[in-house]
């Protein structure tokens, strides 16, 4: 699954204006992972464990639950499982459960008959029916209401459904892959997710590690994303100068792989040559809030944290906080909360550059530790009798 074939050198490597990459990063960047889905890039031990589990479960028809922070690549892994399975010739239908209002989720999933409700002038097939003989990917299942969860649970138990307003039961020949960026076990304890539905989804679960625990994958991902940007814009592939690479390795990546892609896409637009640290829009780590017993301060900190986690999507934030949107807007005015300002070429980026050189040795030490752990687990064999995988937390110690 993992080959040690070295990459062919880029035509821009070795140019005088580009600083030499350390030997450690050259070794990390030379590893290629063979997979039927090119976007599944990575060589760190934690990511290799994810790929091993994905390939093992792909040969079955078991329901899969993918959990991990937002931006860690859950849909990438779902598509990899689909393309490595016997259902790859059928459709892959993705449904974002958070983007569909509760009143429409049932008709979106199960379809409806003509006259089922006002405005239903034609019958419509649901996403389950459209995914026949293929894969139905249910993203952000934690955002479904308890009422919708009950309907999905019955479908998973019986593998049959009835269109809204219909009388005929239909069998469903479809594989389910679900994903969540929240810990569903915690959601069960809070009473926002059904325990029996969790059991139905958690036949085979895979935990995706955050990018901060995959530091050795950053050069590989950066190379791929810059090549993608060059193809889109029709320009040459820009190189990464040493100070830019150091800043990428030192960053904590709260937005994970999605944030890395966006940062590099913006940087490739800003430069006509190679990418320097000043081209990277990296947000500085926020200062942790001081502990307080003031209820208003606790409410303010909680609202601000949830807004950051949902990228200031007020509808999603209100659902997670148990508020109406009107109540949330009132609290935003009360606490003078506003979205963070857009990045500039100076300011936050300059602050990142200022410490990137001092963190270079720390980053290389972390990469060395990950390479050592990768060689220590050289057998690469995935567990044969387990129905779940717990990925290694690589690079958990940051200086």
């Amino acid at each position: 699954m993992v080959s040690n074939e070295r990459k062919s050198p880029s035509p821009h490597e070795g140019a005088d204006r580009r600083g030499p990459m350390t030997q450690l990063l050259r070794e990390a960047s030379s590893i290629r992972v063979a997979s039927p889905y090119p976007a599944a890039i990575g060589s760190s031990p934690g990511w290799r464990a994810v790929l091993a589990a994905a390939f093992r479960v792909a040969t079955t028809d078991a329901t899969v639950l993918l959990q991990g922070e937002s931006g860690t690549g859950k849909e990438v892994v779902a598509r990899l499982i689909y393309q490595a399975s016997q259902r790859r010739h059928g459709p892959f239908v993705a449904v974002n459960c958070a983007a569909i209002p509760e009143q429409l989720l049932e008709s979106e999933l199960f379809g409806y008959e003509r006259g089922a409700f006002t405005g239903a002038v034609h019958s419509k097939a649901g996403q389950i029916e459209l995914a026949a003989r293929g894969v139905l990917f249910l993203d952000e299942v934690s955002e479904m209401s308890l009422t919708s969860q009950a309907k999905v649970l019955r479908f998973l138990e019986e593998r049959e459904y009835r269109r809204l307003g219909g009388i005929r039961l239909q069998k469903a020949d479809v594989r389910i892959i679900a994903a969540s960026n929240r810990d569903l076990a915690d959601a069960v304890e809070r009473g926002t997710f059904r325990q029996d539905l969790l059991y139905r989804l958690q036949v085979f679960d895979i935990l995706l590690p955050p990018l901060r625990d995959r530091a050795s994958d950053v050069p590989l991902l950066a190379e791929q994303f810059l090549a993608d940007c060059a193809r889109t814009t029709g320009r040459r592939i820009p190189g990464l100068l040493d100070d830019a690479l150091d800043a990428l390795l030192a960053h904590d990546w709260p937005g994970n792989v999605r944030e890395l892609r966006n940062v590099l896409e913006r940087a490739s637009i800003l430069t006509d040559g190679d990418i320097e640290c000043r081209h990277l829009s990296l947000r500085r780590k926020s200062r942790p809030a001081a502990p307080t017993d003031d209820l208003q301060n606790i409410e303010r900190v909680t609202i601000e944290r949830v807004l950051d986690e949902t990228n200031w999507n007020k509808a999603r934030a209100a659902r997670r906080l148990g508020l109406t949107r009107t109540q949330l807007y009132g609290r935003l005015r009360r606490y003078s909360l506003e979205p963070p300002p857009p990045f500039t070429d100076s300011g936050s980026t300059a602050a990142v550059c200022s410490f990137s050189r001092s963190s270079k040795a720390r980053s290389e030490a972390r990469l060395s530790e990950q390479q050592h752990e990768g060689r220590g687990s050289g057998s690469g064999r995935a567990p044969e009798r387990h129905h779940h995988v717990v990925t290694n937390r690589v690079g958990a110690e940051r200086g």
Side-chain angles (χ1 to χ4, degrees), residues 17-19 21 218-219 222-223 226 237-245 248 260 264 267 274-277 280:
R17 64 181 179 276
R18 182 174 182 179
M21 203 185 218
V218 170
E223 178 186 16
L226 290 175
I237 303 176
L240 274 175
L241 298 185
D242 279 352
D243 64 339
L245 182 59
L248 294 179
L260 174 61
L264 292 174
D274 289 335
I275 294 176
E276 304 174 25
C277 183
L280 303 175

Side-chain angles (χ1 to χ4, degrees), residues 26-82:
R26 286 185 186 275
E27 293 175 359
S29 301
S30 68
I31 301 174
R32 280 291 183 269
V33 177
S35 78
Y37 193 63
I41 303 167
S43 62
S44 62
W47 188 246
R48 289 204 305 269
V50 169
L51 295 181
F55 282 116
R56 178 169 292 277
V57 75
T59 60
T60 73
D61 237 8
T63 300
V64 180
L65 175 62
L66 305 173
Q67 296 191 83
E69 297 177 9
S70 179
T72 50
K74 294 182 287 295
E75 186 166 349
V76 168
V77 175
R79 290 184 179 273
L80 184 150
I81 294 172
Y82 158 70

Side-chain angles (χ1 to χ4, degrees), residues 199-217:
Y199 291 153
R200 285 292 177 181
L201 295 175
Q202 205 172 20
V203 177
F204 192 100
D205 63 329
I206 302 177
L207 178 63
L208 277 68
L211 186 56
R212 60 181 171 273
D213 293 342
R214 298 171 51 195
S216 63
D217 291 340

Side-chain angles (χ1 to χ4, degrees), residues 74-364:
K74 294 182 287 295
E75 186 166 349
V76 168
V77 175
R79 290 184 179 273
L80 184 150
I81 294 172
Y82 158 70
Q83 293 194 357
S85 72
Q86 297 296 321
R87 292 181 176 267
R88 61 183 174 273
H89 301 297
F92 180 93
V93 177
V95 177
N96 188 334
C97 299
I100 304 175
E102 178 185 354
Q103 301 87 343
L104 301 180
L105 185 60
E106 182 179 2
S107 61
E108 186 70 20
L109 288 177
F110 304 117
Y112 56 83
E113 299 289 355
R114 178 182 177 183
F117 50 84
T118 302
V121 295
H122 300 289
S123 298
K124 179 185 175 183
Q127 299 298 327
I128 294 173
E129 191 172 342
L130 295 175
R133 295 179 297 280
V135 169
L136 179 65
F137 177 57
L138 298 176
D139 197 10
E140 299 193 54
V141 291
S142 58
E143 303 302 321
M144 288 193 299
S145 67
L146 290 172
T147 302
S148 299
Q149 290 175 32
K151 296 171 182 176
V152 172
L153 173 64
R154 177 162 182 82
F155 161 70
L156 290 176
E157 289 176 338
E158 306 297 335
R159 293 292 172 167
E160 59 185 20
Y161 65 97
R162 182 183 288 110
R163 283 185 179 184
L164 192 64
I167 59 174
R168 183 171 62 91
L169 280 176
Q170 301 187 52
K171 290 289 185 180
D173 178 15
V174 63
R175 180 179 191 171
I176 303 297
I177 301 179
S180 173
N181 59 9
R182 299 168 62 187
D183 188 334
L184 293 184
D186 289 344
V188 168
E189 292 182 2
R190 292 194 302 270
T192 60
F193 200 81
R194 295 178 61 109
Q195 188 173 47
D196 46 5
L197 178 56
L198 175 59
Y199 291 153
R200 285 292 177 181
L201 295 175
Q202 205 172 20
V203 177
F204 192 100
D205 63 329
I206 302 177
L207 178 63
L208 277 68
L211 186 56
R212 60 181 171 273
D213 293 342
R214 298 171 51 195
S216 63
D217 291 340
V218 170
L220 285 171
L221 292 165
E223 178 186 16
Q224 181 64 46
F225 294 158
L226 290 175
D228 292 343
C229 292
R231 280 194 297 271
T232 302
T233 59
R235 301 161 66 182
R236 75 172 185 89
I237 303 176
L240 274 175
L241 298 185
D242 279 352
D243 64 339
L245 182 59
D246 291 341
L248 294 179
L249 291 171
H251 190 55
D252 202 38
W253 301 114
N256 294 292
V257 179
R258 184 181 297 121
E259 181 187 1
L260 174 61
R261 176 187 281 276
N262 293 342
V263 165
L264 292 174
E265 183 175 357
R266 181 181 187 275
S268 67
I269 294 172
L270 288 175
T271 181
D272 292 323
D274 289 335
I275 294 176
E276 304 174 25
C277 183
R278 63 188 177 87
H279 298 132
L280 303 175
S281 55
L282 299 176
R283 181 177 303 191
R284 300 172 62 182
K285 297 179 183 178
S286 58
R287 181 178 302 174
T292 176
D293 293 329
D294 190 320
L295 291 179
Q296 285 192 342
N297 284 343
I298 293 174
E299 183 180 52
R300 184 186 190 282
V301 169
T302 301
I303 292 174
E304 192 169 19
R305 175 179 57 80
V306 172
L307 285 166
D308 286 340
E309 291 176 354
T310 57
N311 294 321
W312 278 78
N313 184 315
K314 297 181 183 63
R316 290 180 56 193
R319 282 197 298 269
R320 290 185 56 176
L321 291 166
L323 302 173
T324 65
R325 293 183 68 174
T326 301
Q327 291 172 329
L328 177 59
Y329 279 115
R331 284 163 173 78
L332 294 180
R333 290 191 295 270
R334 180 191 307 169
Y335 298 126
S336 301
L337 294 175
E338 296 179 353
F343 294 114
T344 62
D345 289 341
S346 57
S348 62
T349 302
V352 173
C353 296
S354 67
F355 70 79
S356 63
R357 296 183 183 278
S358 65
S359 64
K360 182 175 182 179
R362 185 175 60 211
S363 301
E364 294 184 0

